[in-house]
Amino acid sequence: MTTVDDVREAIRNEGLTGQNLFDDHGIREDEVGIRRTPHGLLVFTTDERAASCNEQTFSDESAAYDEFLARLRAGNRLAAARQAARTLEREQRLASAGNMYRDEFTSIPDRYSLGVEERSGRRYVSFPVSNSAADYNEYYAVTDDQYGQVLADPVAAVAFVNECRKHWHDDLLMQKPGWNRGTADVQEYAGEDPRTMAAPGRTLNISLPAEVAVPLITDTFRAAGLRRTNTTGATVALTYGSGTREWLSTILPTEIIPGMRRWSWSFRVVISVLDERPGGCVVRVEGNRFAAAGSTVDFYLTTLDAAVTALRAAGAGVAAEQVTDRQDKRQQRPSRG
């Protein structure tokens, strides 16, 4: 049974603040109070105007003390979260003070900007996000080629910005977010969500020969756990999962090894060379036959982003189109006849 001594001990041991215990001081804003009345113990909360609200009367003193402590602890957790958010906002403001972001183009309807960070010369795409304490911008680094592409093509720009809003390109963040990361409203572009597509894929215009680019893409997917199943001419096929893995996932206790939940996933990836030219190629990287679609499509898209990053790390210029569903067969590799 909880007593008033237990309450005082909890306040002392847990460092709780914002309490008014039996009117030991005047009414203040944002406090939890308890007082005796002719009808029992009254537990109440005050708002930002110091007005009493959420009043509840208890005839059972132990229940009243339990309710008082529950509200007081919840209020302290909320106050700590708000303080952490304010600290994050201050840190982000101080961090951004070291950068000179200069917007060169702003789309008011689609709420994004393009610009240059003057100290480093890096180009960026930015958009506003909000958390519980503040509004601020997230900045994503882009190459000169990407910058020119999104500047010239509003549809491609909105598609790329929406992918950033969904956190698909966090490797491009110029400032890493804190624990209280803000969220952005996704302005959907014309077309389907990749998670609803039968065969989502991205066409890559790469400034490397196909014999160099395709192995780089293939190796990235193999490092993520896919295995090569077939290579025919200009096409490489890989798969994630197998019948044996799916069967094992149904009989083994996945709660013991959480990573085994992926054993039930399965999907295929097809890497096709659509066109070749001296020193460059056009490649389509497509996924299909997804099981556990939400998780596997996300995993596929994340790995696809990693492949693009690997190409750029190898010195390639990569123009990555937005994710689309399976292309028309007429857009496949042209005949060399």
Side-chain angles (χ1 to χ4, degrees):
M1 186 175 71
T2 307
T3 66
V4 67
D5 290 335
D6 296 329
V7 171
R8 296 184 190 280
E9 183 178 1
I11 291 172
R12 181 173 59 256
N13 292 341
E14 298 175 31
L16 301 175
T17 60
Q19 70 274 358
N20 190 344
L21 198 58
F22 298 113
D23 294 315
D24 57 3
H25 59 260
I27 298 295
R28 299 173 184 167
E29 66 275 7
D30 297 322
E31 284 192 330
V32 179
I34 186 170
R35 68 163 63 102
R36 295 191 182 277
T37 72
H39 305 289
L41 286 180
L42 174 68
V43 178
F44 61 93
T45 304
T46 59
D47 60 18
E48 68 278 4
R49 299 182 301 275
S52 180
C53 56
N54 297 327
E55 297 182 346
Q56 190 172 358
T57 301
F58 295 83
S59 57
D60 183 335
E61 290 198 3
S62 179
Y65 293 137
D66 287 339
E67 175 67 16
F68 173 79
L69 281 175
R71 293 193 192 186
L72 187 58
R73 286 166 174 151
N76 275 254
R77 286 194 297 270
L78 179 59
R82 287 174 174 169
Q83 181 58 44
R86 286 192 291 268
T87 300
L88 172 64
E89 178 192 2
R90 183 170 59 255
E91 290 174 351
Q92 290 173 334
R93 190 165 56 246
L94 291 173
S96 64
N99 298 300
M100 301 288 290
Y101 294 109
R102 174 168 53 84
D103 292 345
E104 294 186 332
F105 170 81
T106 298
S107 172
I108 296 176
D110 297 313
R111 302 184 67 203
Y112 71 88
S113 297
L114 305 173
V116 178
E117 199 284 298
E118 294 184 332
R119 292 182 186 274
S120 65
R122 291 186 298 173
R123 297 188 179 275
Y124 64 78
V125 172
S126 70
F127 51 85
V129 297
S130 302
N131 60 27
S132 58
D135 297 331
Y136 62 96
N137 284 348
E138 285 191 344
Y139 295 86
Y140 291 77
V142 294
T143 64
D144 290 347
D145 289 342
Q146 288 175 309
Y147 187 89
Q149 182 182 11
V150 297
L151 188 60
D153 187 347
V155 175
V158 175
F160 176 73
V161 170
N162 277 333
E163 291 178 1
C164 293
R165 287 174 172 137
K166 295 174 182 177
H167 303 166
W168 294 358
H169 299 295
D170 281 359
D171 59 308
L172 302 179
L173 277 166
M174 297 174 73
Q175 294 179 6
K176 298 304 180 183
W179 70 270
N180 191 26
R181 183 177 185 178
T183 56
D185 293 332
V186 177
Q187 309 293 321
E188 291 295 350
Y189 57 90
E192 297 179 82
D193 186 313
R195 292 161 183 75
T196 69
M197 295 179 183
R202 178 171 276 142
T203 301
L204 309 175
N205 193 327
I206 309 167
S207 64
L208 283 177
E211 58 266 24
V212 177
V214 172
L216 276 172
I217 300 170
T218 302
D219 289 346
T220 302
F221 278 94
R222 292 183 68 183
L226 283 83
R227 56 188 175 85
R228 186 195 300 262
T229 59
N230 191 28
T231 301
T232 305
T235 300
V236 175
L238 305 102
T239 188
Y240 190 96
S242 68
T244 301
R245 286 164 67 106
E246 292 179 23
W247 175 74
L248 285 172
S249 71
T250 65
I251 64 173
L252 293 177
T254 58
E255 65 276 4
I256 295 178
I257 307 176
M260 287 167 53
R261 292 187 178 91
R262 282 191 177 180
W263 282 25
S264 62
W265 292 6
S266 63
F267 62 92
R268 295 190 64 210
V269 171
V270 178
I271 305 167
S272 306
V273 179
L274 304 184
D275 194 14
E276 291 186 69
R277 62 186 184 278
C281 61
V282 178
V283 176
R284 170 82 176 174
V285 185
E286 185 176 280
N288 59 35
R289 300 184 186 178
F290 290 100
S295 298
T296 49
V297 173
D298 281 341
F299 181 61
Y300 155 71
L301 292 171
T302 299
T303 309
L304 178 53
D305 288 340
V308 173
T309 300
L311 289 166
R312 289 174 177 149
V318 183
E321 295 183 5
Q322 70 184 64
V323 176
T324 58
D325 213 335
R326 185 187 300 279
Q327 291 191 327
D328 189 289
K329 293 298 183 184
R330 290 172 297 178
Q331 299 182 36
Q332 297 300 316
R333 180 186 175 101
S335 170
R336 291 181 176 273

